[in-house]
Amino acid sequence: MSHPPLPHRRTHNLLLISKLLSLSQQQHAQTSPFTLVLDSLEQPARPLTREYLRRARLLSRGAGVVVVFLGFETLTKPVGADYFVPCYRYCQDEGQGQGQGLGLGRRAGMGTGEKIAREVGDILRRSGGKRFLIMIDSLTTLASLSIQPTANLNLTAFLSSLLQPPALQTKGAEQVEGPQISLVAVYHTDVPLPSPPPSTIPSAVLSNSYSPSPLSLLSYLATTVITVHSLPILLAEKSARSKSLAAPSFGLSEETEGVVIGLKPKSLTKLNQGERGVVLELEHRRRSGRGVREWFFLPTSGGTMKKSDGQPFREIVTLLDDHPLFRKSDEGESVEELSGMTFELGLTERQRLEREGVVLPYFDAQKAGGGAGEGGRILYDMGVEDDFDEEEDEI
């Protein structure tokens, strides 16, 4: 499958990522109601979440976008958030309820999702806004609770209650148009989920063993999946590919005892101010079923962020192909267009010289008989084997 030209990709995909990250768009909720951000220990998602909050602070002054931050790992309200819900308190109550018995743990598990959804619904109702952004700093805690047979926490129902809060559904008949709610949640792929404890209910264990993993379920429900990558790791892999070497491993992928976060080479970490940032791998799913896959570069240097303060908003996200360390030359692009074929379309130097030396027939026709002024006369010399019939050849 051939890729579209780079100018077309740049125009189309930059407009898409700007619409997904900028909350002032009128149809942002319809574009991506649920955005799942996948990060790792090598590259956390904090730069991307800060970019969401920064754009909400800059672009939503006249748009009326309300940002609600659900903190499972965050203890204080981050800058740019309008409301903060300390969800870690409910998780502590959940853990205490599971330790006291099966029945109490089941009631506490039901209360965890219901309490968070009820508090979020009350905030949305009190704010009186029309567009909301709900951010979750970590879904790993909820994912670990969802696989516990005693918790009875349905992850799909919990996310649906955030996108359609029960507190706002009662007023649905009075409102002509409901509020637009977008959900952005972070999931840590490197954090292992705990194994469910042995249960005395065989049916609960049987249903849990055949259910999909939380990550597979979240990836299926999400309309946009953004995977955050480390720029030094991608540069190390690019350097290894150029030398036909195996890509290096960092962190947990090294499978070295005691290594959690890998040590990157100093030559890859000492970058210029405009070259520092994170890499975003975007997978956007449209309603038609067609998907968009693209790699972007999000600069995180302080100078780039300060330039937009007090000035009109300027898009800072670029394609990864436009990064100075990933940019391809014009010759490389022309060769890439012809790559992937089973035959050679180009000509060697010898073939080109032989083609230029061939004398085409119309050159002889122009020279014979007085040049090109002869009109359409056909120059033909009859041979021995030609049969001339006067009756048939006469006109």
Side-chain angles (χ1 to χ4, degrees):
M1 180 179 179
S2 61
H3 297 280
L6 183 59
H8 176 73
R9 283 176 46 216
R10 183 184 295 110
T11 303
H12 180 270
N13 294 338
L14 287 181
L15 181 62
L16 175 61
I17 191 65
S18 179
K19 184 184 297 184
L20 293 175
L21 297 181
S22 300
L23 307 176
S24 62
Q25 299 289 339
Q26 295 290 338
Q27 299 179 352
H28 178 268
Q30 288 79 4
T31 303
S32 179
F34 177 32
T35 301
L36 179 64
V37 180
L38 304 178
D39 69 344
S40 60
L41 294 175
E42 295 295 334
Q43 182 56 66
R46 285 190 296 269
L48 181 58
T49 56
R50 286 197 298 263
E51 180 65 17
Y52 269 105
L53 296 175
R54 187 184 73 90
R55 290 174 182 251
R57 186 173 65 256
L58 294 177
L59 300 178
S60 63
R61 294 173 181 174
V65 179
V66 180
V67 181
V68 182
F69 196 92
L70 306 185
F72 289 89
E73 299 176 347
T74 307
L75 302 180
T76 59
K77 185 176 74 171
V79 179
D82 298 319
Y83 297 94
F84 176 72
V85 180
C87 299
Y88 56 87
R89 298 179 181 177
Y90 303 112
C91 298
Q92 293 176 357
D93 298 339
E94 169 69 18
Q96 295 176 1
Q98 287 185 2
Q100 296 178 3
L102 177 61
L104 181 59
R106 184 179 299 274
R107 291 192 299 269
M110 294 177 62
T112 300
E114 291 179 356
K115 290 179 181 178
I116 296 176
R118 187 181 299 111
E119 185 172 353
V120 172
D122 295 340
I123 291 175
L124 300 185
R125 186 180 65 255
R126 293 196 310 266
S127 62
K130 292 297 182 180
R131 290 198 297 272
F132 301 93
L133 172 65
I134 302 177
M135 300 189 65
I136 304 177
D137 60 351
S138 176
L139 278 176
T140 309
T141 305
L142 294 177
S144 61
L145 292 177
S146 64
I147 63 176
Q148 300 292 334
T150 58
N152 196 17
L153 176 63
N154 192 337
L155 196 58
T156 305
F158 172 74
L159 297 177
S160 300
S161 64
L162 294 180
L163 292 174
Q164 297 178 353
L168 297 181
Q169 292 179 4
T170 57
K171 299 176 59 178
E174 303 176 0
Q175 295 180 355
V176 179
E177 182 180 358
Q180 298 179 2
I181 302 177
S182 299
L183 179 62
V184 178
V186 180
Y187 185 88
H188 306 313
T189 57
D190 285 346
V191 178
L193 299 180
S195 301
S199 177
T200 58
I201 306 177
S203 60
V205 178
L206 183 61
S207 61
N208 187 67
S209 60
Y210 284 95
S211 60
S213 62
L215 180 57
S216 301
L217 181 61
L218 293 174
S219 301
Y220 177 78
L221 296 176
T223 53
T224 302
V225 180
I226 301 178
T227 306
V228 186
H229 296 275
S230 174
L231 181 61
I233 292 180
L234 294 183
L235 290 176
E237 295 177 353
K238 179 177 178 294
S239 177
R241 286 195 303 267
S242 62
K243 300 177 182 178
S244 300
L245 299 176
S249 301
F250 298 94
L252 297 178
S253 301
E254 299 181 18
E255 298 182 355
T256 304
E257 184 178 359
V259 176
V260 178
I261 299 178
L263 183 62
K264 284 78 174 178
K266 294 183 178 180
S267 59
L268 300 179
T269 55
K270 293 183 178 180
L271 303 176
N272 297 331
Q273 189 174 9
E275 299 175 352
R276 301 174 186 174
V278 297
V279 179
L280 308 178
E281 181 184 359
L282 174 69
E283 179 185 355
H284 177 65
R285 302 159 184 173
R286 300 177 179 175
R287 292 184 178 180
S288 60
R290 298 180 57 186
V292 178
R293 291 177 177 268
E294 188 57 81
W295 292 72
F296 298 94
F297 172 72
L298 174 63
T300 57
S301 58
T304 307
M305 299 299 180
K306 292 180 181 179
K307 289 180 181 179
S308 59
D309 295 342
Q311 298 181 4
F313 178 77
R314 182 177 60 88
E315 185 61 59
I316 60 175
V317 180
T318 60
L319 294 182
L320 185 61
D321 294 339
D322 294 335
H323 192 273
L325 301 179
F326 287 90
R327 187 177 300 147
K328 301 178 182 178
S329 59
D330 297 338
E331 297 180 358
E333 293 179 359
S334 60
V335 173
E336 185 180 0
E337 293 178 357
L338 300 178
S339 62
M341 299 183 180
T342 57
F343 51 89
E344 180 66 33
L345 294 179
L347 296 177
T348 61
E349 186 66 20
R350 179 181 177 182
Q351 292 174 346
R352 188 180 62 82
L353 294 177
E354 292 179 353
R355 185 186 64 176
E356 294 177 355
V358 175
V359 180
L360 299 179
Y362 59 84
F363 286 107
D364 295 338
Q366 292 176 0
K367 293 179 181 179
E374 294 292 330
R377 187 168 63 89
I378 300 176
L379 302 177
Y380 179 73
D381 296 333
M382 296 185 60
V384 180
E385 65 278 0
D386 292 334
D387 184 13
F388 180 77
D389 191 347
E390 296 181 356
E391 296 180 357
E392 294 181 358
D393 295 339
E394 287 183 357
I395 300 177

